[in-house]
Amino acid sequence: QVQLVQSGGGSVQAGGSLRLSCAASGSIFRVNAMGWYRQAPGKQRELVATVTSGGSTTYAGSVEGRFTISGDNAKNTVLLQMDSLKPEDSAVYFCNARLRRSASSAWEYEYWGQGTQVTVFS
């Protein structure tokens, strides 16, 4: 079994900063990538940022230059530093992990965190 536990988030005024963290634990052989997605009311879940085990990062255009994702392979954790926040960044943020559970299988499993509310008020 694998669990993703998120922390951080909350409410902040526009222009402020927040940080999200996520830790994966359990039956993990290797994490291939971790990332963050968000879902605002009435909208589909969308990618925010991802980081691979090799350090490659991907950002949504709407957050590039304002958000920074970083991962720690040894701890199976991922951080999302969110700066210059805007009201349109308000959403529930979900941690995501794609990982292998054993050395004998290349099968990739996908897991989600419990979600964290981020509210940015103007």
Side-chain angles (χ1 to χ4, degrees), residues 39-62:
Q39 188 168 17
K43 295 187 176 181
Q44 288 190 331
R45 190 173 297 188
E46 62 176 5
L47 180 146
V48 176
T50 63
V51 59
T52 69
S53 58
S56 297
T57 57
T58 302
Y59 293 94
S62 59

Side-chain angles (χ1 to χ4, degrees), residues 36 40-41 57 65 75 97:
W36 295 92
T57 57
K75 297 180 180 179

